[in-house]
Amino acid sequence: MDIPKGTIVFTTVGRPQYGFDVFSTPLSLNLQEFSEHRLTDGVSVNFNAQFTGPDEQHRLVYVSERSGSSQIYLDSDPVPYSAPEISLFHDRPIVRDGRLYFISAHEPSDAPFKSWSALYTLRLELDAADAKTLSRLTPYGCVDYSPSLSQSGDLVAVASYGFRPWAGEFHHLETDIVVFRLSDPTNRWLVCSQGGWPTWSGDSVIYFHRQADDGWWSIFRLDLPSKFDLSPPPAPQRVTPPGVHCFTPAAMHNRPQVAVATRRKGDIYRHIEILDVESGRFYPVTKFLNPNINHYNPFVSSQSGFLGYHRFRGESGHGESIIPHLNLISSPIKGLGMVRVNGSFPSVSPAGDLIAFNPDLDSNGGVDIVKSDGSKRWSLLKGRTSFYNSWSPKEKNVFFTSIGPIFDSVKSTVQIARISFDLKGEDDVEVEIKILTKEETGNNAFPSCSPDGKSVVFRSGRSGHKNLYVMDAVEGEYKFNGGIRQVTEGPWIDTMPSWSPDGKLIAFSSNRHNPDNAEAFSIYIMSPDGSNTRRIYVAGAEGSEEVDRERINHVCFSADGEWLLFTSNIGGVTSDPVSLPNQFQPYGDLYVTRLDGTGGLRRLTWNGYENGTPTWHPVPVPELVNSGDKLLGRFDEPLWIKCDF
């Protein structure tokens, strides 16, 4: 059975605001004079770069998302093997001696809850269509991130999860530092437990980052024996002090110095500094250049004459300066379109001509609609926290939303609203908002309208537990003689319901199989009256350890009702979260599976971001118009990095 075609519209947390470009500055011997130069062209986002040749050539290899996924570029040209139709995720490229080394996630792992990330290499001058040109250096079943080559090019260091399943953490990945020779990649040497983002100085010293016992992210130095004999090396030595967070080091081969990204007390921005390992002195770099911009993931040239990094290109910077309302994303399935919305909880109108969404999820949010080609947007509700939208299949220009704080307690006031509107002209819209739930009933959210347009299923905390209810789609619970009924009941969380296209089923997320764990959700389906409830097993068979680790949300049906679309954690973490801006759940990716439980699980997204709140519509993606909001670089540093202790 083929996966139905159409369009999936979804959100990626923070990503539309990035606007990254790669920059560099010369490094003077006294580290006092810096002048910034942009190395990439302002198209899409460009990041995680490395210099590829002698200092005077200033050539660059980097990751760009201009094709709709993360593709590797060498100067201004894409590397053919990294085309989207081959792999949708590439990261941390390195060019050395005519070979490209990079992380890719195109091969499925051997088990759920393992990342697909692994290290590959290929010769650049050979025909990339020849499969023999690509070699996997990571053993199958093993997970590697963040490669680094030694000065001679003989040794590789990676941050490795090994063959273990992902433990569920992401604030600090529990990776180890592993070294191997390029001539014998199967002979791997675990040189240090608990470390990430390794970088070589010469052929015998590795620096890496780790969160120290005192809570500060710090850089550690590891001195390796001159003989590669797999014996345990000495314990690593911490080289950065408490009181400053230091991440993503880039060591120099001919200086006792390491470039690091830092977060300091009293400063909300991440900056690049040079650490002199011998004196312990820090030399600020980007603090003087761009004090109010975040800078990420430094890299240095082979002769230590230049320092590079990526950052938001700036409001006045040359290049793309708007965030499109809708952005076409590469899809792994032919005929299935993927579109990212600049907002959350998109919902496509029955005719496929409009998309309702929430531009923000705070008090500055509300509800907007945009034409499905992205050409025009209207605000229907402003200044109210709103989330989760569902159109009426039968009434024109009518949909439902939740108004109130998201992810709050059962007693918080969140109400279901019915929004109807009339587009009077290009800039004139008449809106009517009708509240369907009573204020004293607490937290009511996540509405989904039935196919006949008569009922809305939603989640409510009115009983003291978050269960599902069905109410009248016009009058709500104010309907005379009863407009509401409870359809699930229990001391657990049932949430995010979705009605099937034929009206015979409701799919939802629930932790009823383990009510004490508010982090583990699985897919359930039931009849609209609450009967015939059963669980859809995705990560493994019933009773297996894997299925109870599922965190599955935002489930919805395909137009034919045979497939389910959802977000899940089963693919683990694709890249080191501390190297990116804030992601609440960087393990969130989109998947589809068959409703009948016969399998067909397919992954739709691969990246280091949180992808979520999807909707699936049978209408193909129209030609999108490049219209949107001004790009301002408004994203957060990881919220779990604290500087106040």
Side-chain angles (χ1 to χ4, degrees):
M1 184 189 301
D2 292 333
I3 295 176
K5 310 308 181 188
T7 303
I8 290 173
V9 188
F10 67 102
T11 188
T12 302
V13 173
R15 162 59 183 81
Q17 286 280 355
Y18 288 175
F20 288 150
D21 266 318
V22 179
F23 294 79
S24 74
T25 178
L27 288 178
S28 61
L29 290 177
N30 64 6
L31 298 178
Q32 298 296 321
E33 300 174 3
F34 305 103
S35 58
E36 189 178 62
H37 304 277
R38 190 165 71 169
L39 304 181
T40 51
D41 59 5
V43 178
S44 186
V45 295
N46 308 289
F47 58 101
N48 283 358
Q50 293 287 335
F51 295 113
T52 65
D55 284 16
E56 62 271 12
Q57 293 184 5
H58 226 59
R59 298 193 65 194
L60 196 71
V61 63
Y62 58 98
V63 177
S64 181
E65 294 186 358
R66 64 191 66 199
S67 65
S69 65
S70 56
Q71 189 174 0
I72 297 172
Y73 278 69
L74 187 56
D75 296 324
S76 60
D77 300 319
V79 176
Y81 183 80
S82 70
E85 60 267 22
I86 300 172
S87 177
L88 294 182
F89 177 79
H90 302 86
D91 198 18
R92 302 298 309 282
I94 303 168
V95 171
R96 184 77 65 84
D97 299 326
R99 297 196 70 91
L100 172 69
Y101 303 86
F102 60 96
I103 298 295
S104 178
H106 64 278
E107 291 185 289
S109 62
D110 60 341
F113 303 103
K114 276 190 176 182
S115 173
W116 294 18
S117 296
L119 178 61
Y120 297 83
T121 183
L122 63 95
R123 294 203 65 82
L124 288 171
E125 68 270 20
L126 296 180
D127 182 4
D130 182 358
K132 295 181 180 179
T133 65
L134 182 70
S135 299
R136 178 173 172 139
L137 300 178
T138 301
Y140 185 67
C142 186
V143 178
D144 286 340
Y145 308 96
S146 306
S148 177
L149 266 65
S150 67
Q151 185 175 22
S152 69
D154 295 334
L155 299 172
V156 179
V158 292
S160 182
Y161 223 93
F163 294 90
R164 297 170 290 138
W166 174 53
E169 86 291 346
F170 66 90
H171 292 174
H172 185 291
L173 285 186
E174 295 177 358
T175 53
D176 303 323
I177 306 300
V178 170
V179 171
F180 57 86
R181 293 190 184 278
L182 279 175
S183 58
D184 185 12
T186 61
N187 193 16
R188 295 163 63 94
W189 184 16
L190 195 160
V191 296
C192 179
S193 298
Q194 293 293 309
W197 208 273
T199 177
W200 288 93
S201 177
D203 273 49
S204 61
V205 175
I206 294 175
Y207 293 92
F208 62 91
H209 68 208
R210 173 201 289 173
Q211 190 171 20
D213 292 340
D214 56 20
W216 293 97
W217 281 83
S218 302
I219 307 303
F220 289 77
R221 171 179 172 144
L222 185 65
D223 291 89
L224 302 180
S226 57
K227 185 178 180 181
F228 192 86
D229 59 3
L230 305 186
S231 59
Q237 300 299 309
R238 185 177 181 178
V239 297
T240 56
V244 56
H245 289 299
C246 298
F247 331 89
T248 60
M252 304 182 197
H253 293 308
N254 55 0
R255 299 188 192 184
Q257 294 166 346
V258 181
V260 296
T262 65
R263 277 284 307 281
R264 293 184 175 274
K265 289 184 177 181
D267 195 338
I268 63 173
Y269 297 101
R270 186 181 300 207
H271 281 292
I272 308 301
E273 304 185 37
I274 304 295
L275 168 68
D276 188 294
V277 178
E278 293 181 347
S279 68
R281 180 180 175 182
F282 285 92
Y283 294 84
V285 179
T286 60
K287 180 74 171 178
F288 298 133
L289 296 169
N290 313 290
N292 298 323
I293 293 179
N294 288 301
H295 301 73
Y296 292 90
N297 304 355
F299 57 100
V300 293
S301 60
S302 60
Q303 297 161 291
S304 307
F306 292 90
L307 167 71
Y309 47 84
H310 63 263
R311 66 166 176 85
F312 169 54
R313 65 181 62 102
E315 294 180 44
S316 60
H318 170 74
E320 294 180 351
S321 60
I322 67 166
I323 305 171
H325 298 312
L326 302 172
N327 191 17
L328 188 65
I329 304 301
S330 298
S331 171
I333 299 173
K334 187 176 181 180
L336 182 64
M338 302 278 290
V339 173
R340 177 188 292 138
V341 64
N342 182 23
S344 299
F345 296 107
S347 181
V348 184
S349 65
D353 58 336
L354 296 171
I355 299 173
F357 67 98
N358 307 111
D360 287 296
L361 297 178
D362 56 21
S363 59
N364 296 317
V367 182
D368 290 0
I369 56 172
V370 63
K371 286 185 176 181
S372 59
D373 65 357
S375 62
K376 179 68 177 177
R377 187 182 75 181
W378 298 264
S379 292
L380 305 187
L381 175 64
K382 296 180 180 180
R384 296 286 302 275
T385 302
S386 306
F387 59 97
Y388 205 88
N389 308 289
S390 174
W391 291 82
S392 169
K394 297 298 183 181
E395 296 181 88
K396 185 177 180 181
N397 294 350
V398 173
F399 65 92
F400 304 86
T401 195
S402 320
I403 299 178
I406 191 171
F407 304 129
D408 221 327
S409 70
V410 295
K411 296 187 180 299
S412 295
T413 299
V414 183
Q415 296 175 292
I416 304 297
R418 172 188 166 99
I419 297 180
S420 55
F421 62 93
D422 185 11
L423 297 175
K424 298 287 188 179
E426 276 298 300
D427 298 304
D428 186 18
V429 57
E430 185 176 289
V431 182
E432 179 183 352
I433 299 174
K434 184 177 184 179
I435 301 300
L436 300 183
T437 52
K438 297 178 180 179
E439 184 174 356
E440 66 270 19
T441 59
N443 194 329
N444 305 286
F446 302 106
S448 175
C449 190
S450 61
D452 62 8
K454 296 180 179 180
S455 302
V456 172
V457 61
F458 65 103
R459 186 266 286 147
S460 179
R462 63 187 62 203
S463 70
H465 304 291
K466 293 180 178 179
N467 295 145
L468 301 183
Y469 294 74
V470 173
M471 67 178 172
D472 182 78
V474 178
E475 301 298 329
E477 61 178 311
Y478 295 97
K479 183 178 180 179
F480 177 73
N481 205 23
I484 188 169
R485 56 187 170 86
Q486 186 170 0
V487 292
T488 70
E489 184 176 1
W492 49 68
I493 301 172
D494 299 324
T495 190
M496 301 181 189
S498 176
W499 224 300
S500 66
D502 62 6
K504 295 180 179 180
L505 294 172
I506 293 172
F508 59 99
S509 295
S510 179
N511 70 340
R512 57 176 57 204
H513 51 280
N514 187 2
D516 294 331
N517 187 351
E519 302 294 320
F521 287 84
S522 294
I523 300 173
Y524 287 81
I525 59 172
M526 66 179 181
S527 300
D529 63 0
S531 64
N532 303 314
T533 302
R534 69 180 178 92
R535 183 176 174 184
I536 304 294
Y537 295 94
V538 174
E542 181 179 0
S544 65
E545 180 180 346
E546 289 79 11
V547 294
D548 288 334
R549 292 192 58 193
E550 292 175 349
R551 183 166 185 162
I552 299 177
N553 292 111
H554 308 300
V555 60
C556 62
F557 286 88
S558 60
D560 64 2
E562 299 294 328
W563 291 80
L564 295 170
L565 167 67
F566 55 92
T567 64
S568 180
N569 62 342
I570 59 177
V573 176
T574 305
S575 61
D576 193 338
V578 79
S579 69
L580 292 161
N582 185 63
Q583 301 294 318
F584 293 99
Q585 299 175 85
Y587 45 78
D589 276 306
L590 307 186
Y591 295 80
V592 292
T593 192
R594 289 191 178 99
L595 172 65
D596 61 12
T598 59
L601 181 67
R602 290 289 302 273
R603 187 174 182 174
L604 302 181
T605 59
W606 295 258
N607 50 50
Y609 317 135
E610 178 186 353
N611 305 286
T613 70
T615 188
W616 196 347
H617 196 270
V619 175
V621 179
E623 184 174 350
L624 299 181
V625 176
N626 190 29
S627 176
D629 299 323
K630 184 175 177 60
L631 177 62
L632 299 174
R634 290 177 178 169
F635 54 83
D636 294 319
E637 267 283 87
L639 300 180
W640 35 269
I641 296 175
K642 306 296 184 183
C643 296
D644 54 355
F645 59 92

